[in-house]
């Protein structure tokens, strides 16, 4: 048995924390400073973590490697299993051209560009985040806004800022699922706290979007539909994450937000020519004027409805109990780790939710989608394989980062850093979202930031007497605000609208919003850690 030590380097917590932080520092420097590709930075950081665990912490090499393999396996299943199948559903709608029908449907909802920004960037972007994530919402929404006549820079900025509130529950809840796994906290507990933080962002972001589109006039004339959309989105996200399913949170929120927006009479008032002339500086795509049969419009919406239905059925008590029985647990080979207190850690056992995991449920919905869209089985399989190929580097990045996280957690490196960071005391509540924000800004992924810092946040919380669930959730909620300034997202946005090389221009426009909203989130977490807002927590 390997027993974790908190002060293996010269019996000093400070020196041990410095050595333990080396893998994280290497990843952050390679990503943010050297601009190395994420999967190469992840693999380099993993090698560093293995060496620190083996040489500094004295963890046997076979156990060190085994812990890394377990992290990589978890990265493949269930994490990337969810992402691959979710993106596969989207690719099928593109292949059958039903995505174009969906885009035209959105374009006909309103001719007011400020309302169109809410429908496309905020509501539909959240739906894409729920299904795919990993930059897809920014790329697709930017292109759609340009097709509606938006200036490329404005389209990119609006899409980047909109991609905030849904990120924590993106890709069928992948970030919170990862956070729960690496932190050892129950998924429902983590999701419920995140669901009491990010909905507050949803109240503000739509107002920011109409301001970005049309300045003070846009805010003055369309604050009602923007606020209604934000409130509906936030309430739906709160209810779904706390009482239904973390995987369904963004799907429910995006659909409810869109329905509420369309129901506001003010949103259907035609825009004046002065508004359209000042906002729409590009050329509107003539393709948007094509009429689509009602049957095809329904088929275009069907994939998202099917996912909601499948996940809803999975929440029926009898079905949920049956699905829970399909989960298999195994003693992970070559791994026998005890914490500093001598008690075995949970990482010695690996749980494999074969059917109940979100990825398998999305796969089931995807198979039904292929039938509804009239796609031949051979073509559907070909699209699935193409999806895996498209995500090959993302798969390598996620598996390497999770392998790194598991090595750090099981060797005791995360525990050492957590005990050291706990010295911040009450100030830890304010700094917790900043750590998540920094992680996402550098890695471009809330999932990766949660894998890197989730266990650290929990250890620090317990040492400082704060709620572990609160700080773990704060890591994810603060992280969503780093998404808009991450180099990966900026590059995706520029490439989508033909602004290659102008990432710096976009960064200057979105950075103030990212920092400002981060400050708001920090104050929310501080309030929730004190009697002021503690009533918000479950």
């Amino acid at each position: 048995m390997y027993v974790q030590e908190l002060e293996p380097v010269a019996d000093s917590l400070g020196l041990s924390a410095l050595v333990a932080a080396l893998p994280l520092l290497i990843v952050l420097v390679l990503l943010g400073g050297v601009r190395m590709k994420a999967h190469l930075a992840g693999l380099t950081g993993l090698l560093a973590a293995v060496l620190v665990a083996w040489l500094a912490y004295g963890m046997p090499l076979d156990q060190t490697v085994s812990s890394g393999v377990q992290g990589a396996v978890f990265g493949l299943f269930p994490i990337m299993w969810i992402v691959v199948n979710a993106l596969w559903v989207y690719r099928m709608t593109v292949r059958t051209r039903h995505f174009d029908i969906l885009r035209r449907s959105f374009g006909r909802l309103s001719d007011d560009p400020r309302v169109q920004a809410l429908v496309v960037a905020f509501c539909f972007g959240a739906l894409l985040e729920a299904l795919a994530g990993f930059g897809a919402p920014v790329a697709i929404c930017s292109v759609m806004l340009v097709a509606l006549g938006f200036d490329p820079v404005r389209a990119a900025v609006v899409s980047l800022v909109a991609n905030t509130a849904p990120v924590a529950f993106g890709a069928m809840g992948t970030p919170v699922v990862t956070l729960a796994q690496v932190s050892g906290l129950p998924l429902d507990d983590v999701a419920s706290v995140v669901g009491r933080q990010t909905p507050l962002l949803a109240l503000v972001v739509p107002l920011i979007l109409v301001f970005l589109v049309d300045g003070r006039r846009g805010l003055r004339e369309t604050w009602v539909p923007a606020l209604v959309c934000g409130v509906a989105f936030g309430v739906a996200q709160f209810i779904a994450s706390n009482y239904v399913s973390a995987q369904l949170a963004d799907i429910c929120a995006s659909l409810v937000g869109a329905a509420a927006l369309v129901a506001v009479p003010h949103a259907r008032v035609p825009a004046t020519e002065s508004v359209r002339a000042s906002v729409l500086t590009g050329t509107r795509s003539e393709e948007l004027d094509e009429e689509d049969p009602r049957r095809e419009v329904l088929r275009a919406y069907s994939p998202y409805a099917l996912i909601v239905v499948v996940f809803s059925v999975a929440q029926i008590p009898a079905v949920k109990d049956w699905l829970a029985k399909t989960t298999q647990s195994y003693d992970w080979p070559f791994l026998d780790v005890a914490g500093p207190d001598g008690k075995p850690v949970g990482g010695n056992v690996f749980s494999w939710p074969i059917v109940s995991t979100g990825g398998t449920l999305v796969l089931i919905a995807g198979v039904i989608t292929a039938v509804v869209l009239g796609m031949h089985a051979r073509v559907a399989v070909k699209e699935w394989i193409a999806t895996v190929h498209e995500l090959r580097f993302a798969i390598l990045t996620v598996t390497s980062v999770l392998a790194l996280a598991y090595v750090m957690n099981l060797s005791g490196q995360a525990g050492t850093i957590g005990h050291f960071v706990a010295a911040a005391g009450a100030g830890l509540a304010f700094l917790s979202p900043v750590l998540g924000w920094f992680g996402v800004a550098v890695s471009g992924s809330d999932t990766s930031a949660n894998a890197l810092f989730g266990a650290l946040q929990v250890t620090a919380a317990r040492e400082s007497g704060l709620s572990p669930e609160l700080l773990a959730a704060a890591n994810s909620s603060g992280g969503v605000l780093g998404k808009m300034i991450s180099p990966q997202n900026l590059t995706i946005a520029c490439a989508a609208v033909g602004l290659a090389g102008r990432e710096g221009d976009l960064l200057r426009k979105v950075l103030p919003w990212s920092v400002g909203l981060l400050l708001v989130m920090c104050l929310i977490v501080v309030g929730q850690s004190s009697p002021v807002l503690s009533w918000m927590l479950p």
Side-chain angles (χ1 to χ4, degrees):
M1 176 179 286
Y2 167 71
V3 180
Q4 297 173 346
E5 287 187 61
L6 295 178
E7 302 176 358
V9 181
D11 293 325
S12 167
L13 183 62
L15 288 175
S16 299
L18 183 63
V19 173
L22 283 176
L24 293 178
L25 292 174
I26 288 172
V27 172
L28 297 178
V29 169
L30 290 178
L31 282 173
V34 183
R35 298 290 181 89
M36 182 180 284
K37 291 186 182 299
H39 63 281
L40 295 177
L43 290 171
T44 306
L46 171 60
L47 177 61
V50 168
L51 292 175
V52 170
W54 179 35
L55 299 176
Y57 278 73
M59 188 179 196
L61 187 58
D62 59 341
Q63 296 210 47
T64 303
V65 173
S66 181
S67 61
V69 171
Q70 184 183 156
V73 170
F74 179 73
L76 289 172
F77 191 99
I79 298 306
M80 291 310 296
W81 179 240
I82 298 172
V83 177
V84 166
N85 290 320
L87 191 56
W88 174 55
V89 172
Y90 162 71
R91 283 181 63 101
M92 284 194 291
T93 65
V94 173
R95 178 65 180 259
T96 59
R97 303 195 67 81
H98 283 88
F99 180 76
D100 293 333
I101 296 173
L102 196 66
R103 184 178 62 171
R104 288 193 287 271
S105 174
F106 289 154
R108 286 190 289 268
L109 288 175
S110 172
D111 76 338
D112 189 325
R114 300 163 300 190
V115 175
Q116 289 174 342
L118 295 176
V119 173
V120 173
F122 188 71
C123 297
F124 187 59
L127 188 58
L128 289 173
E129 182 67 38
L131 296 177
F134 292 87
V138 171
I140 295 164
C141 292
S142 296
V143 171
M144 289 178 69
L145 290 176
V146 169
L148 289 168
F150 278 66
D151 169 73
V153 173
R154 183 175 285 158
V157 170
V158 167
S159 299
L160 284 166
V161 174
N163 191 220
T164 48
V167 168
F169 296 104
M172 307 307 296
T174 298
V176 290
V177 170
T178 304
L179 181 60
Q181 179 69 20
V182 300
S183 65
L185 300 173
L187 173 60
D188 290 343
D189 291 355
V190 174
S192 65
V193 179
V194 175
R196 293 160 194 250
Q197 294 172 342
T198 57
L200 298 175
L201 294 176
L203 304 180
V204 181
V205 171
L207 296 169
I208 295 175
L209 296 181
V210 296
F211 177 80
L212 288 172
V213 172
D214 194 28
R216 293 181 180 177
R217 179 179 60 182
L219 194 58
R220 184 175 63 251
E221 295 181 359
T222 54
W223 70 269
V224 173
L227 189 60
V228 168
C229 177
V231 169
F233 184 101
V235 170
Q237 191 182 60
F238 161 72
I239 293 174
S241 61
N242 277 265
Y243 306 111
V244 183
S245 164
Q247 287 89 345
L248 280 180
D250 279 350
I251 293 180
C252 293
S254 61
L255 296 177
V256 171
L261 177 61
V262 174
V264 178
H266 194 81
R268 297 194 298 275
V269 176
T272 62
E273 283 302 318
S274 62
V275 169
R276 294 182 60 80
S278 63
V279 174
L280 303 180
T281 56
T283 303
R284 186 176 184 273
S285 173
E286 295 181 0
E287 182 190 342
L288 296 171
D289 297 323
E290 293 182 21
E291 288 294 329
D292 298 301
R294 183 180 295 275
R295 181 170 178 269
E296 293 304 312
V297 174
L298 291 175
R299 290 174 73 185
Y301 281 92
S302 64
Y304 314 109
L306 285 169
I307 289 176
V308 172
V309 170
V310 170
F311 273 82
S312 298
V313 170
Q315 297 304 311
I316 297 173
V319 178
K320 193 173 184 178
D321 291 342
W322 178 80
L323 289 173
K325 292 177 183 177
T326 65
T327 299
Q328 302 292 322
S329 295
Y330 307 94
D331 288 326
W332 192 256
F334 307 109
L335 202 61
D336 187 12
V337 179
D341 57 1
K343 296 180 180 178
V345 300
N348 294 328
V349 178
F350 183 78
S351 296
W352 190 27
I354 304 171
V355 182
S356 60
T357 186
T360 302
L361 297 179
V362 176
L363 178 65
I364 294 170
V367 171
I368 303 173
T369 293
V371 175
V372 171
L373 297 182
M375 178 174 278
H376 192 280
R378 185 182 70 255
V379 180
V381 171
K382 187 177 178 181
E383 283 297 318
W384 193 90
I385 295 172
T387 303
V388 174
H389 183 263
E390 180 185 339
L391 290 172
R392 63 192 184 282
F393 292 118
I395 291 171
L396 188 54
T397 299
V398 170
T399 52
S400 62
V401 167
L402 277 158
L404 181 156
Y406 268 60
V407 170
M408 291 189 65
N409 294 345
L410 290 171
S411 66
Q413 294 173 59
T416 298
I417 299 171
H419 280 74
F420 183 75
V421 172
L428 189 59
F430 185 87
L431 295 174
S432 187
V434 178
L435 190 60
W437 175 82
F438 184 71
V440 175
V442 171
S443 70
S445 165
D446 201 34
T447 299
S448 297
N450 286 344
L452 290 172
F453 301 128
L456 187 156
Q457 297 269 22
V458 168
T459 302
R462 287 175 174 151
E463 287 301 305
S464 59
L466 295 171
S467 163
E469 291 82 6
L470 175 61
L471 293 202
N475 192 84
S476 192
S477 298
V480 306
L481 300 168
K483 190 87 168 178
M484 68 178 86
I485 63 169
S486 69
Q488 291 92 322
N489 250 22
L490 291 170
T491 302
I492 288 170
C494 285
V497 297
L499 295 173
R502 294 185 59 184
E503 288 86 354
D505 293 343
L506 293 187
L507 177 61
R508 283 189 291 273
K509 290 182 180 296
V510 299
L511 182 59
W513 298 108
S514 177
V515 174
L517 289 172
L518 173 64
L519 177 60
V520 172
M521 182 55 66
C522 290
L523 294 176
I524 289 171
V525 175
V526 169
Q528 291 177 333
S529 70
S530 68
V532 178
L533 295 179
S534 60
W535 53 269
M536 291 180 63
L537 299 179

